[in-house]
Amino acid sequence: MEYNFRQIEKKWQEYWMKNKTFRAETDASKPKYYVLDMFPYPSGAGLHVGHPLGYIASDIYSRYKRLKGFNVLHPMGYDAFGLPAEQYAIQTGTHPSITTEKNIQRYREQMDKIGFSYDWDREVKTCDPGYYKWTQWTFIQLFNHWYNLETNKAAPITELISDFESDGNAQVRAAMTADWHKGIQTKYPFLVENWDGKFTAAQWKSFKEDLQRDILMNYRLAYQSDAMVNWCPDLGTVLANDEVKEGFSVRGGHPVERKLMRQWFLRITAYAQRLLDGLDLIDFPESIKEIQKNWIGRSEGAEIAFPIEDTPYSLDIFTTRPDTIFGATFMVIAPEHELAETIASPGQAEAVRNYLHWAKNRSERERMSEVKKITGEFTGAYCLNPLNGKKIPIWVADYVLAGYGTGAIMAVPAHDSRDYDFAKHFNLPITEVVSGGDISESSYDAKDGILINSEFINGMKVKEAISAVISKVEELKIGKGTVNFRLRDAIFSRQRYWGEPFPVYYKDGIAYVLDESELPLVLPEVDKYLPTETGEPPLARAKNWKTKEGYPYETSTMPGFAGSSGYYLRYLDPQNEHEYFSKEANQYWQDVDLYLGGAEHATGHLVYSRFWNKFLWDIGLVCKDEPYKRLINQGMIQGRSNLVYRIKNTSTFVSYNLKKDYEITEMHVDVNMVENDVLDLDAFKTWRPDLADAEFILEDGNYICGWEVEKMSKSLHNVINPDDLITHYGADTLRLYEMFLGPLEQSKPWDTNGIEGVFRFIRKFWRLYHDRENEFSVTNEEPTKEELKILHRTIKKTGDDIERFSFNTAVSNFMICVNELSELKCNKRVILEPLVILIAPYAPHMAEELWENLGHSETITYSSFPIFREEYIVEDTFHYPVSFNGKMRFQLELSLNLTVPEIEEDVLKAPETEKWLQGKAAKKIIVVPKKIINIVV
């Protein structure tokens, strides 16, 4: 029979669904293997050919591990809360759940067509109340825990309260909000002036509940605080730094401003060192580890207080180079620093205010990346070097970030490149204090050299000087040695509708969490998906959005990463209504063995989910401290865009090779109207109304398009729909071609023309099992040594390549194998039955059909991967090139066990030798074993 992929693929997809072929259940008799894909956000556009790349790779590996005897958990779900659905709801009035569910159905149809081996009984959707109940539950646990620095783990807040009741907080070592007592003192003016936040047990007991809870809020792992955020009025929500570019939202291009707002946070900084240490225990790409290390940003140094002249204030700075303190020629504070306006002199006050207004709407990302854009303003104030009393001017500049360290720095231009550029720009003094560089040319940043111009540390090496300065400031009680992290606590609230509701209500303005028995708190209906007229989040529009006692609920919702931070755990036990997951399920499946997804999540999801897991480990819920054993980042499949060229101010388009003669504007065109870079003119003219009257200047009767390799996106009209390819070539061809494109972890351009070669291969594979009349024909004949060698070479190469995730070379090897077996006209069961198992992870539909034709009544999914036998690939013969007077004439296969005289004897007996000797005698025979034979005539 002909290879009818449409019929075959439909048949086996229905079989898998009906028989729940890929359902994973706890089975202690088998080793487990948990394969996880980063679940998708279901956008309205559906999947394009770039999206399934990682899914196909993980599916191949999952199917392979099943063949190797593993009990494989391979689930799929949807990261279903998101801003696009909400924006569509705002524009159309359609509830986001309707849009999202429609998109999910589209994604599911597409994934089913590709033949993925997911256990769909474990499907999760983050917008399902049955799912986000456990996101809310985890938030409650975070709210009810603090981080104990003595034990280096989370502990119940009740234990902290007990400590306060018995001993106050003087001896408590906890992760807490910096300078929290200042905000408390502002709110409760009856506290003593200059209160440092310390209290006794008696004082704690004397505090009223509102004060106690405000204090506790600064210790909780989920807490509220005021923060500068990226506020987008048009979207009505706070945006993350990576959602803002040049003062506008990435989505929609709406203006974004920096604004101080009350927000929920997760105290992820408490876990900074553990997140860093954990990187040594997991198999992540080195590039991802490096990104996370930089994001966490551990640095050792000193905190030092610089008193501000003629004020009661001081600038507290963190520096990794306390040895350079005598080279500090100016101080810089961030525009958000609390003292920025307070310390400005009368003469500088207006200039400082204007600068702060300008700087407040620049995102941290812009400020960090735009190193050549130097801005700042002198405050008119001075502070004193605490070690020698020297006056130092204080500047405000946006290259200092409020979120890192203390939001203030001592600027040492001789030994820091950004300080150097700033000093040069504003003509500020530069004092060398570490020898070894040429500060007339640039700063000398190396931690190598001898201290100069530095009073009591002169003559010391840098390392020695650092220790000496730290000892000195600790002795004078003006500072201390410390460790600092760049990592900031995660903002955990958004002022939008389509997200998880917080299980929080307010009583007299104080936040309380719901009892766990009241979960889930379901997202309410609203009349509009916009903020209220008074600027409150959309949930404030909901009727009766309050507890049964009448207390109002929180109106912000959780951010996009809330639902994705623990989804891998819910897959373990998704139908469990009483627990996040059972202990038994967690003990069996434990952690994710293989995680596939994009590198773009390095500093978001991959940090947040590791934090989430470590917290759950602290409270005894999970059995592993890290969620993922191994991570692989698939590369991006790039689009191959096509371009047309409009002659300016006309509706005429000139072909690619003629455009040099005209002044043109290039325009992206839908690649589906182009074949081999030749434009379908009729399709182009009906593509858009404004192109109906288009005219063309052709070359050789065709319009040739230009092309570019770019990101695949709708805006560039270079999206290829996998559904169309499956219709024309089948899912197995698509799967093989995506793997054949190149190494999994590298980016590569898509070229639809190349898929034809893979389609020919798959039909050639099919023909191995069929005769000239397309009838199934496999014999029970004994295989030859050559056939066994081809098979076992393929077994070894396929297994090795899958283990190395070198799927492209495995596909190439299949092609070589099929060519060789075709030449041998091999149709023997002993060879072809193992071969169909080998290709099953790659082309599962075809493999299932052939497996059934071979007489098997059960799915190929749980058969056994063929065993490699090395003796079959050991070479015992050699194909000698036989030359006459140095010219190679033929090849002769001889045993490797022959001696040189025996080789000479056999070559003279060969009929080809007689032909080339032409009756002459051989003067000499030169034999180089395992290389050549040369006959001199």
Side-chain angles (χ1 to χ4, degrees):
M1 58 180 259
E2 191 62 51
Y3 176 53
N4 187 337
F5 63 82
R6 293 185 183 90
Q7 180 182 323
I8 289 168
E9 291 178 357
K10 184 173 185 291
K11 168 185 171 180
W12 288 104
Q13 287 164 12
E14 289 174 354
Y15 174 92
W16 295 329
M17 189 63 61
K18 178 183 175 182
N19 293 278
K20 297 186 182 294
T21 301
F22 312 115
R23 181 168 58 193
E25 296 181 352
T26 301
D27 183 353
S29 67
K30 285 185 174 183
K32 70 93 183 182
Y33 203 87
Y34 184 178
V35 180
L36 182 64
D37 294 304
M38 290 185 184
F39 65 171
Y41 171 74
S43 71
L47 297 172
H48 63 59
V49 292
H51 293 130
L53 178 68
Y55 302 159
I56 294 170
S58 69
D59 195 64
I60 289 170
Y61 202 76
S62 297
R63 290 175 179 273
Y64 166 73
K65 295 302 275 188
R66 292 189 188 100
L67 293 171
K68 296 290 282 185
F70 286 83
N71 187 20
V72 175
L73 173 58
H74 189 36
M76 178 49 80
Y78 304 96
D79 193 5
F81 280 126
L83 197 52
E86 182 159 355
Q87 284 302 107
Y88 186 75
I90 291 169
Q91 294 162 8
T92 66
T94 305
H95 196 286
S97 65
I98 296 172
T99 308
T100 302
E101 190 55 42
K102 181 182 176 183
N103 294 346
I104 285 174
Q105 289 174 10
R106 170 91 176 107
Y107 267 64
R108 175 65 189 273
E109 288 169 5
Q110 289 186 290
M111 287 194 272
D112 283 345
K113 284 180 181 177
I114 301 173
F116 294 129
S117 61
Y118 293 128
D119 179 357
W120 285 110
D121 285 352
R122 294 175 183 262
E123 179 187 69
V124 300
K125 305 169 189 174
T126 56
C127 63
D128 180 353
Y131 176 88
Y132 65 69
K133 169 183 179 178
W134 301 106
T135 309
Q136 293 172 336
W137 179 89
T138 307
F139 176 85
I140 291 173
Q141 310 315 307
L142 287 160
F143 184 85
N144 286 331
H145 282 77
W146 62 294
Y147 199 85
N148 188 335
L149 295 175
E150 291 284 352
T151 60
N152 203 27
K153 63 188 297 188
I157 203 79
T158 51
E159 291 183 9
L160 183 65
I161 293 170
S162 295
D163 288 345
F164 289 171
E165 288 174 344
S166 59
D167 302 304
N169 71 343
Q171 302 304 314
V172 170
R173 293 192 62 232
M176 53 189 173
T177 307
D179 296 328
W180 63 268
H181 60 281
K182 294 180 181 178
I184 294 288
Q185 194 169 22
T186 301
K187 185 175 179 180
Y188 300 94
F190 62 82
L191 293 167
V192 295
E193 192 175 349
N194 297 324
W195 181 55
D196 62 0
K198 298 288 193 300
F199 52 79
T200 64
Q203 287 173 318
W204 171 259
K205 291 174 183 175
S206 72
F207 294 157
K208 291 182 179 178
E209 183 187 4
D210 58 347
L211 177 53
Q212 287 185 342
R213 292 189 72 89
D214 276 345
I215 290 172
L216 288 171
M217 186 64 80
N218 295 284
Y219 289 84
R220 298 182 188 276
L221 287 175
Y223 68 95
Q224 278 183 311
S225 182
D226 292 327
M228 292 298 296
V229 297
N230 301 313
W231 172 249
C232 181
D234 291 348
L235 294 177
T237 191
V238 170
L239 299 176
N241 284 333
D242 58 4
E243 296 174 312
V244 180
K245 185 175 183 181
E246 297 177 358
F248 293 88
S249 64
V250 172
R251 180 170 293 278
H254 303 290
V256 175
E257 62 186 56
R258 299 285 287 170
K259 184 177 180 180
L260 190 68
M261 291 184 69
R262 189 78 168 164
Q263 297 281 29
W264 284 99
F265 287 81
L266 298 185
R267 203 177 300 281
I268 191 173
T269 50
Y271 287 80
Q273 188 62 53
R274 284 171 60 185
L275 288 167
L276 200 58
D277 294 342
L279 292 173
D280 295 331
L281 308 175
I282 52 182
D283 184 5
F284 277 24
E286 285 304 314
S287 59
I288 296 292
K289 287 187 176 184
E290 199 59 34
I291 289 169
Q292 288 207 0
K293 285 176 183 176
N294 291 334
W295 187 258
I296 295 165
R298 186 183 194 276
S299 50
E300 297 181 11
E303 285 181 2
I304 306 172
F306 284 68
I308 299 175
E309 187 180 43
D310 300 328
T311 76
Y313 307 116
S314 66
L315 278 187
D316 299 324
I317 64 98
F318 170 80
T319 176
T320 59
R321 296 292 304 274
D323 57 306
T324 63
I325 190 169
F326 294 106
T329 58
F330 58 99
M331 310 294 286
V332 184
I333 59 177
E336 302 88 354
H337 197 282
E338 61 182 353
L339 296 178
E341 289 195 65
T342 304
I343 64 174
S345 67
Q348 287 296 110
E350 184 177 357
V352 168
R353 272 195 304 274
N354 291 339
Y355 182 77
L356 298 182
H357 178 75
W358 173 83
K360 78 170 188 174
N361 291 331
R362 284 169 52 76
S363 72
E364 288 191 2
R365 175 166 292 194
E366 290 173 301
R367 289 158 59 177
M368 291 168 69
S369 61
E370 295 178 5
V371 294
K372 292 181 180 179
K373 189 171 186 175
I374 299 171
T375 68
E377 194 67 55
F378 176 44
T379 65
Y382 293 83
C383 63
L384 305 176
N385 186 317
L387 294 185
N388 63 8
K390 193 172 180 180
K391 285 177 65 171
I392 307 174
I394 304 172
W395 285 67
V396 58
D398 69 349
Y399 80 93
V400 175
L401 304 177
Y404 181 64
T406 63
I409 65 164
M410 64 174 201
V412 184
H415 306 290
D416 181 276
S417 57
R418 292 201 74 172
D419 295 346
Y420 185 89
D421 292 341
F422 191 89
K424 284 288 189 182
H425 185 81
F426 288 105
N427 198 28
L428 298 170
I430 299 174
T431 301
E432 183 179 22
V433 290
V434 180
S435 63
D438 179 3
I439 64 168
S440 67
E441 294 293 328
S442 64
S443 63
Y444 178 64
D445 298 359
K447 287 188 175 183
D448 183 32
I450 302 298
L451 272 294
I452 58 175
N453 302 321
S454 298
E455 303 187 11
F456 71 93
I457 53 173
N458 274 337
M460 293 183 183
K461 291 184 177 179
V462 168
K463 191 173 181 180
E464 181 187 2
I466 289 173
S467 297
V469 172
I470 291 174
S471 296
K472 189 69 171 178
V473 298
E474 288 180 341
E475 175 191 331
L476 296 173
K477 293 185 169 44
I478 55 170
K480 62 180 180 178
T482 189
V483 173
N484 195 46
F485 293 93
R486 183 179 288 112
L487 183 69
R488 298 296 92 196
D489 285 339
I491 295 179
F492 200 64
S493 47
R494 298 286 187 270
Q495 287 63 49
R496 63 189 190 204
Y497 174 75
W498 191 231
E500 298 89 341
F502 280 92
V504 171
Y505 64 93
Y506 292 90
K507 184 178 175 183
D508 298 325
I510 300 170
Y512 294 79
V513 289
L514 293 175
D515 187 273
E516 293 171 18
S517 64
E518 297 180 70
L519 300 180
L521 177 61
V522 178
L523 195 63
E525 297 289 332
V526 293
D527 60 339
K528 292 181 184 176
Y529 305 102
L530 292 165
T532 67
E533 288 70 17
T534 56
E536 293 177 275
L539 289 194
R541 293 178 173 276
K543 293 180 180 178
N544 298 315
W545 187 235
K546 58 186 71 171
T547 68
K548 55 182 178 290
E549 296 83 11
Y551 299 120
Y553 287 128
E554 170 65 64
T555 54
S556 292
T557 52
M558 297 185 195
F561 70 84
S564 62
S565 291
Y567 76 109
Y568 58 94
L569 292 166
R570 188 60 180 164
Y571 281 140
L572 306 184
D573 200 4
Q575 311 307 326
N576 193 332
E577 296 180 6
H578 308 291
E579 300 171 281
Y580 197 164
F581 45 84
S582 71
K583 185 176 181 180
E584 293 73 23
N586 184 244
Q587 287 292 338
Y588 180 72
W589 294 111
Q590 299 188 0
D591 51 6
V592 175
D593 295 281
L594 175 65
Y595 199 17
L596 268 89
E600 66 272 17
H601 300 290
T603 58
H605 164 68
L606 288 172
V607 173
Y608 299 139
S609 58
R610 291 181 61 221
F611 155 74
W612 198 272
N613 195 87
K614 287 177 183 297
F615 168 70
L616 295 176
W617 187 82
D618 283 356
I619 66 174
L621 203 67
V622 298
C623 61
K624 290 294 182 76
D625 182 47
E626 287 284 347
Y628 319 116
K629 275 196 182 83
R630 183 176 188 182
L631 171 72
I632 290 180
N633 299 131
Q634 79 273 10
M636 183 187 296
I637 289 184
Q638 297 163 309
R640 189 181 186 276
S641 306
N642 279 113
L643 303 166
V644 294
Y645 306 94
R646 186 199 295 264
I647 299 175
K648 281 192 173 180
N649 302 317
T650 74
S651 58
T652 301
F653 293 81
V654 60
S655 189
Y656 174 74
N657 292 304
L658 306 176
K659 66 184 176 68
K660 61 182 180 296
D661 299 326
Y662 301 88
E663 189 177 358
I664 50 96
T665 302
E666 67 178 30
M667 183 178 96
H668 282 80
V669 66
D670 189 340
V671 294
N672 295 293
M673 299 187 298
V674 180
E675 186 170 349
N676 292 322
D677 293 331
V678 176
L679 180 67
D680 182 332
L681 302 183
D682 291 333
F684 179 75
K685 293 175 79 169
T686 59
W687 183 39
R688 291 188 342 214
D690 62 305
L691 301 174
D693 298 324
E695 296 180 349
F696 304 94
I697 300 175
L698 308 177
E699 47 184 303
D700 299 325
N702 290 319
Y703 188 98
I704 307 300
C705 297
W707 61 273
E708 294 282 350
V709 174
E710 302 173 290
K711 179 180 178 180
M712 197 172 282
S713 74
K714 285 197 301 181
S715 64
L716 299 176
H717 306 293
N718 60 3
V719 169
I720 302 294
N721 188 330
D723 299 7
D724 297 337
L725 296 174
I726 290 170
T727 298
H728 286 96
Y729 302 104
D732 286 345
T733 300
L734 175 67
R735 290 167 65 103
L736 283 162
Y737 184 54
E738 292 226 0
M739 294 299 98
F740 186 58
L741 281 172
L744 176 65
E745 291 157 278
Q746 292 181 13
S747 292
K748 46 259 176 188
W750 178 267
D751 182 4
T752 300
N753 296 328
I755 202 169
E756 287 284 353
V758 174
F759 189 46
R760 287 194 296 272
F761 157 72
I762 210 165
R763 286 178 292 175
K764 191 171 186 178
F765 190 103
W766 178 263
R767 287 197 295 272
L768 283 176
Y769 298 77
H770 296 80
D771 59 23
R772 290 181 181 275
E773 284 70 43
N774 284 320
E775 294 298 324
F776 187 77
S777 177
V778 173
T779 72
N780 291 317
E781 293 177 39
E782 287 298 310
T784 65
K785 287 174 66 176
E786 181 65 19
E787 289 167 342
L788 285 168
K789 182 167 74 174
I790 293 168
L791 172 66
H792 283 270
R793 194 175 61 212
T794 305
I795 291 171
K796 177 168 175 53
K797 180 80 169 118
T798 303
D800 289 351
D801 283 350
I802 290 180
E803 290 289 1
R804 293 187 297 112
F805 297 89
S806 184
F807 301 119
N808 60 314
T809 56
V811 175
S812 297
N813 191 58
F814 282 133
M815 293 176 174
I816 293 168
C817 170
V818 169
N819 285 339
E820 291 176 340
L821 291 178
S822 296
E823 286 178 15
L824 296 172
K825 295 182 170 56
C826 175
N827 69 337
K828 297 164 185 173
R829 177 180 292 272
V830 175
I831 302 298
L832 298 188
E833 191 164 277
L835 183 61
V836 78
I837 297 174
L838 293 179
I839 205 167
Y842 292 83
H845 307 88
M846 179 181 68
E848 289 277 22
E849 185 70 13
L850 293 173
W851 188 248
E852 184 182 67
N853 291 342
L854 285 162
H856 298 277
S857 58
E858 298 294 325
T859 173
I860 198 171
T861 302
Y862 297 103
S863 55
S864 295
F865 196 81
I867 296 171
F868 166 66
R869 292 177 60 179
E870 191 167 5
E871 62 265 28
Y872 287 131
I873 66 168
V874 173
E875 299 285 353
D876 56 4
T877 63
F878 183 75
H879 287 81
Y880 280 94
V882 180
S883 299
F884 290 79
N885 292 338
K887 290 186 177 181
M888 204 279 282
R889 299 299 186 183
F890 66 90
Q891 286 196 340
L892 184 64
E893 184 179 6
L894 296 173
S895 169
L896 288 171
N897 296 321
L898 295 179
T899 63
V900 170
E902 289 171 330
I903 293 173
E904 292 176 351
E905 183 180 341
D906 282 2
V907 75
L908 288 173
K909 288 180 182 177
E912 296 93 339
T913 301
E914 185 178 343
K915 171 188 171 184
W916 290 101
L917 282 175
Q918 296 179 341
K920 299 176 184 177
K923 290 183 181 179
K924 188 177 182 182
I925 301 176
I926 302 168
V927 176
V928 181
K930 294 187 184 179
K931 287 196 175 176
I932 61 162
I933 299 171
N934 185 36
I935 298 174
V936 181
V937 180

